[in-house]
Amino acid sequence: MTENRNLTAEEWAEFAPVFEKAGIFSSGSVRRFVDTRLNKKYDVFLLNDNLVLKKSDQDKEKYDRYFAGHSFSVPQVVSAVQHGGDCWVSMPLIDGTDARDCSTDDAMKVGRELARIQSYYLEAGTNPDGCRSYFERKVLRFWEKSRKYFPGYEGVFEAVEERFFSAPRTLIHDDFLPINALLDGRNAWLIDWTYADILPYFLDLGRFAFVGYEEGKRYISHESATAFLNSYYKEMSCNPQFVVARQEFSRDVAISAFCQYSMFVFYKDDEKVQKSEDYRTLKKILAYLEAT
């Protein structure tokens, strides 16, 4: 899981100019966030036990555009500093854990909060050029390999493409892994909106519910994934503009998972594809989409 650790002398020397611009002049006031499960250090730091400082390309821009002045559970951007061409933003510390291995109750909180945000921005601009660009960059190119391994499902690929452009659009996080939902015991806080854009509503669902830290090992259980999706749908259905029947929603969730697993298969070596769990999962998703 994620924890924060004291800086090494080398880390302090590397990042001291950034900390000083943020008003921090002692290494004893700074700790670095580390993911112990993934053995990964982040360019995210805890300052004086109450502020988080992180390197960010667009967090402040996206916060100002979509979240400032609203009551969504998205941490406020307190300040921003520039260093070496990079933007660093500070925000209050959310004292809790991320949503990996979350309970069904916590998964429901995440689903409700994501739906609250997406219900507010439902159909917030058609953005046809941005949608087309996204589809070509992040969806269509991954289909090259999947089409080779599943030649009998061309009709499914065509149906998925059609739905991509006909589904309701809203504000999408576009990196909505369980590590980007923080739980403080009461609320679910959704963080890191760097890639946010107006896109088909279903794109965040498969990433949260079905992605794992390694093949065959998901971040959340099947029960929590189901709770997340049910809670999301219930909240979204309170918006009369969300005209998506339950069966169609289930298909949209499958399309979201299809987009994810097409990407996983794309990055596998050819000789390993058909032996992989990702390939078998993608085959099941395609069969479901063909049947529905």
Side-chain angles (χ1 to χ4, degrees):
M1 303 302 282
T2 302
E3 62 181 46
N4 54 78
R5 297 177 179 173
N6 293 329
L7 299 189
T8 65
E10 293 78 11
E11 287 173 325
W12 172 256
E14 180 181 358
F15 295 104
V18 178
F19 301 143
E20 290 171 3
K21 287 185 177 181
I24 301 296
F25 300 94
S26 168
S27 62
S29 301
V30 183
R31 293 171 67 85
R32 189 172 194 174
F33 284 90
V34 177
D35 191 311
T36 56
R37 177 181 285 178
L38 302 179
N39 193 27
K40 179 180 180 181
K41 294 181 179 180
Y42 296 110
D43 287 343
V44 182
F45 301 90
L46 178 61
L47 309 181
N48 291 327
D49 295 327
N50 61 5
L51 280 181
V52 172
L53 180 71
K54 56 169 289 192
K55 184 161 69 172
S56 167
D57 293 329
Q58 301 183 62
D59 269 70
K60 187 174 188 308
E61 174 193 338
K62 297 298 173 69
Y63 180 83
D64 290 344
R65 183 186 304 176
Y66 296 119
F67 303 113
H70 296 292
S71 61
F72 302 131
S73 293
V74 174
Q76 174 189 3
V77 173
V78 176
S79 63
V81 298
Q82 296 285 335
H83 178 73
D86 294 319
C87 179
W88 292 76
V89 299
S90 63
M91 56 192 65
L93 172 69
I94 304 300
D95 189 11
T97 60
D98 65 50
R100 288 176 290 184
D101 301 318
C102 64
S103 67
T104 55
D105 285 345
D106 282 335
M108 290 172 65
K109 293 176 185 177
V110 176
R112 279 195 299 269
E113 188 56 32
L114 179 64
R116 283 187 67 228
I117 294 169
Q118 295 190 337
S119 178
Y120 183 86
Y121 282 104
L122 194 64
E123 300 292 4
T126 55
N127 192 23
D129 293 339
C131 196
R132 172 57 62 181
S133 174
Y134 182 97
F135 182 77
E136 292 175 353
R137 288 182 294 108
K138 292 195 172 184
V139 180
L140 193 59
R141 74 186 188 95
F142 295 129
W143 288 4
E144 175 186 350
K145 184 176 287 189
S146 297
R147 279 184 155 132
K148 180 173 69 174
Y149 286 103
F150 299 101
Y153 289 95
E154 194 59 37
V156 175
F157 286 90
E158 293 174 359
V160 169
E161 181 172 359
E162 187 280 329
R163 183 59 178 163
F164 195 92
F165 294 100
S166 66
R169 298 179 192 174
T170 188
L171 182 65
I172 296 301
H173 183 288
D174 202 32
D175 192 25
F176 198 58
L177 292 167
I179 59 174
N180 285 325
L182 301 181
L183 304 159
D184 67 2
R186 295 183 60 189
N187 300 311
W189 294 82
L190 312 189
I191 65 172
D192 292 349
W193 290 82
T194 295
Y195 306 111
D197 205 349
I198 304 298
L199 293 164
Y201 84 93
F202 53 73
L203 286 175
D204 286 339
L205 303 179
R207 195 159 179 79
F208 186 88
F210 303 120
V211 172
Y213 55 93
E214 59 183 79
E215 188 172 2
K217 297 181 180 180
R218 295 182 182 178
Y219 282 126
I220 65 175
S221 68
H222 172 76
E223 292 76 16
S224 291
T226 300
F228 162 75
L229 293 169
N230 287 341
S231 177
Y232 174 92
Y233 183 76
K234 181 178 179 181
E235 182 70 26
M236 284 293 280
S237 295
C238 294
N239 186 334
Q241 291 182 292
F242 187 69
V243 187
V244 177
R246 193 65 176 82
Q247 185 175 359
E248 186 176 34
F249 175 73
S250 297
R251 182 176 171 82
D252 285 343
V253 171
I255 289 174
S256 183
F258 169 74
C259 292
Q260 292 297 316
Y261 280 91
S262 293
M263 180 179 66
F264 299 157
V265 167
F266 178 86
Y267 284 116
K268 282 194 165 25
D269 294 337
D270 285 337
E271 64 273 15
K272 297 179 180 179
V273 168
Q274 290 179 291
K275 300 176 183 178
S276 71
E277 185 66 28
D278 290 336
Y279 169 87
R280 289 188 286 271
T281 300
L282 182 58
K283 187 174 183 179
K284 291 177 183 177
I285 295 170
L286 282 164
Y288 171 80
L289 289 172
E290 184 179 52
T292 56

